[in-house]
Protein backbone atom coordinates (compact mmCIF):
# COMPACT_ATOMS: atom_id res chain seq x y z
CA UNK A 1 0.00 0.00 0.00
CA UNK A 2 1.39 3.39 -0.92
CA UNK A 3 2.07 6.00 1.75
CA UNK A 4 -0.17 8.92 2.57
CA UNK A 5 0.21 12.34 4.13
CA UNK A 6 -2.26 13.41 6.80
CA UNK A 7 -1.89 16.95 8.10
CA UNK A 8 -3.19 18.56 11.29
CA UNK A 9 -3.83 22.30 11.12
CA UNK A 10 -5.33 25.09 13.19
CA UNK A 11 -4.32 27.98 15.40
CA UNK A 12 -1.76 27.48 18.18
CA UNK A 13 -2.86 25.44 21.15
CA UNK A 14 -5.79 23.88 19.29
CA UNK A 15 -4.57 20.40 20.25
CA UNK A 16 -2.68 19.25 17.14
CA UNK A 17 0.25 17.67 18.98
CA UNK A 18 -2.11 15.81 21.34
CA UNK A 19 -4.24 14.53 18.47
CA UNK A 20 -1.29 13.54 16.25
CA UNK A 21 -0.13 11.29 19.10
CA UNK A 22 -3.58 9.71 19.52
CA UNK A 23 -3.98 9.22 15.76
CA UNK A 24 -0.57 7.55 15.69
CA UNK A 25 -1.70 5.13 18.43
CA UNK A 26 -4.87 4.31 16.50
CA UNK A 27 -3.08 3.68 13.19
CA UNK A 28 -0.24 1.68 14.74
CA UNK A 29 -2.83 -0.50 16.51
CA UNK A 30 -4.27 -1.22 13.04
CA UNK A 31 -0.86 -2.52 11.99
CA UNK A 32 -0.01 0.45 9.76
CA UNK A 33 3.46 1.98 9.39
CA UNK A 34 3.30 5.54 10.72
CA UNK A 35 5.79 8.41 10.77
CA UNK A 36 5.18 11.54 12.85
CA UNK A 37 6.46 14.89 11.62
CA UNK A 38 6.04 18.57 12.40
CA UNK A 39 6.70 22.00 10.91
CA UNK A 40 8.61 24.12 11.47
CA UNK A 41 11.56 22.16 12.82
CA UNK A 42 11.08 18.59 11.62
CA UNK A 43 14.76 18.16 10.68
CA UNK A 44 18.08 19.17 12.25
CA UNK A 45 18.40 22.04 9.77
CA UNK A 46 14.73 22.89 10.27
CA UNK A 47 15.23 23.07 14.04
CA UNK A 48 17.68 25.92 13.48
CA UNK A 49 15.23 27.68 11.17
CA UNK A 50 12.51 27.18 13.81
CA UNK A 51 14.67 28.92 16.43
CA UNK A 52 14.99 31.97 14.17
CA UNK A 53 11.26 31.99 13.39
CA UNK A 54 9.88 31.69 16.90
CA UNK A 55 12.42 33.66 18.97
CA UNK A 56 10.49 36.60 20.54
CA UNK A 57 13.70 38.67 20.20
CA UNK A 58 13.26 38.58 16.40
CA UNK A 59 10.41 41.10 16.28
CA UNK A 60 12.13 42.78 13.30
CA UNK A 61 11.80 39.69 11.06
CA UNK A 62 10.29 40.97 7.78
CA UNK A 63 7.12 39.15 6.57
CA UNK A 64 8.79 38.07 3.31
CA UNK A 65 11.83 36.75 5.19
CA UNK A 66 9.44 34.87 7.48
CA UNK A 67 7.67 33.33 4.45
CA UNK A 68 10.97 32.25 2.89
CA UNK A 69 12.15 30.67 6.14
CA UNK A 70 8.94 28.60 6.44
CA UNK A 71 9.37 27.56 2.80
CA UNK A 72 13.03 26.62 3.39
CA UNK A 73 12.06 24.57 6.44
CA UNK A 74 9.40 22.73 4.38
CA UNK A 75 11.68 22.10 1.38
CA UNK A 76 14.21 20.44 3.71
CA UNK A 77 11.50 18.52 5.56
CA UNK A 78 9.93 17.16 2.37
CA UNK A 79 13.28 16.14 0.89
CA UNK A 80 14.76 14.64 4.04
CA UNK A 81 11.80 13.11 5.86
CA UNK A 82 8.36 13.29 4.26
CA UNK A 83 9.06 12.02 0.73
CA UNK A 84 11.30 9.12 1.91
CA UNK A 85 8.64 8.06 4.46
CA UNK A 86 5.90 8.19 1.80
CA UNK A 87 8.07 6.17 -0.58
CA UNK A 88 8.50 3.55 2.15
CA UNK A 89 4.69 3.30 2.37
CA UNK A 90 4.27 5.11 5.71
CA UNK A 91 1.28 7.15 6.72
CA UNK A 92 2.91 10.45 7.65
CA UNK A 93 1.09 12.45 10.33
CA UNK A 94 2.33 16.00 10.04
CA UNK A 95 1.68 18.74 12.61
CA UNK A 96 1.21 21.69 10.17
CA UNK A 97 2.04 21.84 6.44
CA UNK A 98 1.41 24.31 3.63
CA UNK A 99 -2.12 25.30 4.76
CA UNK A 100 -0.39 26.98 7.73
CA UNK A 101 1.62 29.15 5.33
CA UNK A 102 -1.55 30.14 3.50
CA UNK A 103 -3.32 30.95 6.77
CA UNK A 104 -0.50 32.72 8.65
CA UNK A 105 1.51 34.39 5.90
CA UNK A 106 -1.43 35.31 3.57
CA UNK A 107 -4.30 35.99 5.95
CA UNK A 108 -2.19 36.81 9.01
CA UNK A 109 0.62 38.86 7.42
CA UNK A 110 -1.24 39.99 4.30
CA UNK A 111 1.33 38.66 1.81
CA UNK A 112 0.33 38.16 -1.83
CA UNK A 113 -1.64 34.88 -2.19
CA UNK A 114 -0.10 34.05 -5.60
CA UNK A 115 3.44 34.42 -4.23
CA UNK A 116 2.59 32.25 -1.22
CA UNK A 117 0.96 29.61 -3.44
CA UNK A 118 4.01 29.53 -5.71
CA UNK A 119 6.35 29.06 -2.75
CA UNK A 120 4.07 26.44 -1.21
CA UNK A 121 4.26 24.46 -4.46
CA UNK A 122 8.03 24.88 -4.73
CA UNK A 123 8.68 23.80 -1.14
CA UNK A 124 6.26 20.84 -1.18
CA UNK A 125 7.76 19.68 -4.50
CA UNK A 126 4.68 17.77 -5.61
CA UNK A 127 3.80 16.38 -2.17
CA UNK A 128 0.18 17.13 -1.19
CA UNK A 129 -1.80 16.10 1.88
CA UNK A 130 -4.26 13.26 1.23
CA UNK A 131 -6.30 14.25 4.26
CA UNK A 132 -6.25 17.32 6.50
CA UNK A 133 -7.83 18.00 9.88
CA UNK A 134 -8.46 21.61 10.83
CA UNK A 135 -8.87 21.77 14.61
CA UNK A 136 -11.07 24.82 15.03
CA UNK A 137 -10.89 26.84 18.26
CA UNK A 138 -11.64 30.48 19.19
CA UNK A 139 -8.32 32.38 19.52
CA UNK A 140 -9.04 33.56 23.08
CA UNK A 141 -9.28 29.94 24.21
CA UNK A 142 -6.18 28.90 22.27
CA UNK A 143 -4.03 31.66 23.78
CA UNK A 144 -5.28 30.72 27.26
CA UNK A 145 -4.21 27.10 26.64
CA UNK A 146 -0.79 28.16 25.36
CA UNK A 147 -0.22 30.54 28.30
CA UNK A 148 -0.99 27.73 30.74
CA UNK A 149 1.96 25.79 29.28
CA UNK A 150 4.59 28.55 29.05
CA UNK A 151 5.56 31.90 27.60
CA UNK A 152 4.28 33.02 24.20
CA UNK A 153 6.58 32.74 21.15
CA UNK A 154 7.03 35.49 18.51
CA UNK A 155 3.89 34.58 16.55
CA UNK A 156 1.73 33.77 19.57
CA UNK A 157 2.43 37.33 20.77
CA UNK A 158 0.47 38.74 17.79
CA UNK A 159 -2.84 40.46 18.69
CA UNK A 160 -6.12 38.50 18.83
CA UNK A 161 -7.26 40.01 15.48
CA UNK A 162 -4.26 38.34 13.77
CA UNK A 163 -5.21 34.94 15.20
CA UNK A 164 -8.87 35.49 14.23
CA UNK A 165 -7.84 36.14 10.59
CA UNK A 166 -5.73 32.96 10.69
CA UNK A 167 -8.63 30.95 12.12
CA UNK A 168 -10.99 32.20 9.39
CA UNK A 169 -8.37 31.38 6.74
CA UNK A 170 -8.25 27.75 7.90
CA UNK A 171 -12.06 27.59 7.69
CA UNK A 172 -11.91 29.10 4.17
CA UNK A 173 -9.36 26.47 3.12
CA UNK A 174 -11.74 23.77 4.40
CA UNK A 175 -14.64 25.30 2.45
CA UNK A 176 -12.55 25.37 -0.73
CA UNK A 177 -11.31 21.77 -0.42
CA UNK A 178 -14.05 19.78 1.35
CA UNK A 179 -12.88 16.50 -0.23
CA UNK A 180 -9.51 16.86 1.56
CA UNK A 181 -10.19 18.94 4.66
CA UNK A 182 -12.34 18.02 7.68
CA UNK A 183 -13.07 20.65 10.33
CA UNK A 184 -13.12 19.35 13.91
CA UNK A 185 -14.55 21.26 16.88
CA UNK A 186 -11.40 21.55 19.02
CA UNK A 187 -13.24 23.15 21.97
CA UNK A 188 -14.49 19.69 22.95
CA UNK A 189 -12.64 17.43 25.38
CA UNK A 190 -9.47 15.68 24.18
CA UNK A 191 -11.42 12.39 24.04
CA UNK A 192 -14.30 13.86 22.01
CA UNK A 193 -11.90 15.48 19.51
CA UNK A 194 -10.02 12.17 19.21
CA UNK A 195 -13.29 10.29 18.61
CA UNK A 196 -14.26 12.68 15.76
CA UNK A 197 -10.83 12.24 14.18
CA UNK A 198 -10.94 8.46 14.62
CA UNK A 199 -14.31 8.32 12.82
CA UNK A 200 -12.98 10.37 9.91
CA UNK A 201 -9.82 8.23 9.76
CA UNK A 202 -11.84 4.99 9.67
CA UNK A 203 -13.96 6.36 6.80
CA UNK A 204 -10.83 7.44 4.93
CA UNK A 205 -9.07 4.08 5.52
CA UNK A 206 -12.12 2.18 4.28
CA UNK A 207 -11.92 4.09 0.96
CA UNK A 208 -8.18 3.48 0.37
N1 LIG B 1 3.62 28.84 11.21
C1 LIG B 1 3.50 29.79 10.21
O1 LIG B 1 3.30 30.97 10.49
N2 LIG B 1 3.62 29.38 8.91
C2 LIG B 1 3.86 28.09 8.57
O2 LIG B 1 3.98 27.78 7.38
C3 LIG B 1 4.00 27.13 9.63
C4 LIG B 1 3.87 27.54 10.93
C5 LIG B 1 4.27 25.69 9.31
C6 LIG B 1 4.72 27.08 15.12
O3 LIG B 1 4.49 27.00 16.46
C7 LIG B 1 4.31 28.47 14.69
O4 LIG B 1 4.66 28.67 13.32
C8 LIG B 1 2.82 28.65 14.77
C9 LIG B 1 2.35 28.82 13.34
C10 LIG B 1 3.57 29.27 12.63
N3 LIG B 1 2.60 29.84 15.47
N4 LIG B 1 1.86 30.26 16.22
N5 LIG B 1 1.37 30.96 16.94
P1 LIG B 1 4.64 25.68 17.34
O5 LIG B 1 5.06 24.54 16.48
O6 LIG B 1 5.49 26.01 18.51
O7 LIG B 1 3.24 25.50 17.96
P2 LIG B 1 1.82 25.39 17.34
O8 LIG B 1 1.84 24.47 16.17
O9 LIG B 1 1.30 26.76 17.09
O10 LIG B 1 0.93 24.78 18.46
P3 LIG B 1 1.26 24.16 19.86
O11 LIG B 1 1.50 25.23 20.84
O12 LIG B 1 2.28 23.08 19.71
O13 LIG B 1 -0.14 23.56 20.23
P4 LIG B 1 -0.93 22.34 19.61
O14 LIG B 1 0.03 21.30 19.12
O15 LIG B 1 -1.96 22.77 18.65
O16 LIG B 1 -1.69 21.82 20.89
P5 LIG B 1 -1.24 20.78 22.04
O17 LIG B 1 0.21 20.97 22.33
O18 LIG B 1 -1.74 19.46 21.73
O19 LIG B 1 -2.09 21.38 23.23
C11 LIG B 1 -1.83 22.64 23.80
C12 LIG B 1 -2.29 22.63 25.27
O20 LIG B 1 -3.71 22.47 25.31
C13 LIG B 1 -1.71 21.47 26.09
O21 LIG B 1 -1.55 21.89 27.40
C14 LIG B 1 -2.78 20.41 26.00
O22 LIG B 1 -2.77 19.53 27.09
C15 LIG B 1 -4.04 21.26 25.98
N6 LIG B 1 -5.13 20.65 25.21
C16 LIG B 1 -5.04 19.93 24.06
N7 LIG B 1 -6.26 19.54 23.65
C17 LIG B 1 -7.15 20.04 24.56
C18 LIG B 1 -8.57 19.98 24.68
N8 LIG B 1 -9.33 19.35 23.76
N9 LIG B 1 -9.15 20.61 25.71
C19 LIG B 1 -8.39 21.28 26.63
N10 LIG B 1 -7.04 21.36 26.60
C20 LIG B 1 -6.43 20.75 25.56
Amino acid sequence: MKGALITFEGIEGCGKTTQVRLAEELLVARGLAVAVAREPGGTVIGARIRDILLDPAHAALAPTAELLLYAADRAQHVAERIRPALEQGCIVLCDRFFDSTTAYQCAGRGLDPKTVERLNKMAADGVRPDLTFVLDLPPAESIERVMRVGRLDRIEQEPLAFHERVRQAFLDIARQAPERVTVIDAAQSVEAVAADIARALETWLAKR
Side-chain angles (χ1 to χ4, degrees), residues 11-12 52-64 66 70 96 103-111 138-144 146-147 151-167:
I11 59 173
E12 47 287 345
I52 298 171
L53 280 164
L54 299 186
D55 189 339
H58 295 167
L61 188 64
T64 303
E66 179 183 275
Y70 280 113
R96 297 196 182 282
Y104 282 88
Q105 277 63 54
C106 276
R109 298 288 185 222
L111 291 177
E141 200 166 324
S142 88
I143 293 294
E144 201 184 297
V146 174
M147 282 176 73
R151 81 187 173 121
L152 301 181
D153 67 34
R154 188 180 61 85
I155 295 179
E156 286 159 355
Q157 287 178 0
E158 289 293 332
L160 222 50
F162 173 94
H163 298 290
E164 191 52 58
R165 286 199 300 280
V166 172
R167 177 194 189 191

Side-chain angles (χ1 to χ4, degrees), residues 22 24 51 77 87 130 139 154 156 200 207:
L22 294 172
E24 180 188 17
D51 287 344
H77 195 206
E87 284 172 357
D130 296 278
R154 188 180 61 85
E156 286 159 355
K207 287 193 205 144

Side-chain angles (χ1 to χ4, degrees), residues 7-10 14 16 96-97 99-100 132-135 170:
T7 56
F8 291 71
E9 300 277 9
C14 64
K16 294 176 283 76
R96 297 196 182 282
F97 197 61
D99 293 323
S100 279
T132 296
F133 293 107
V134 165
L135 274 56
F170 279 123

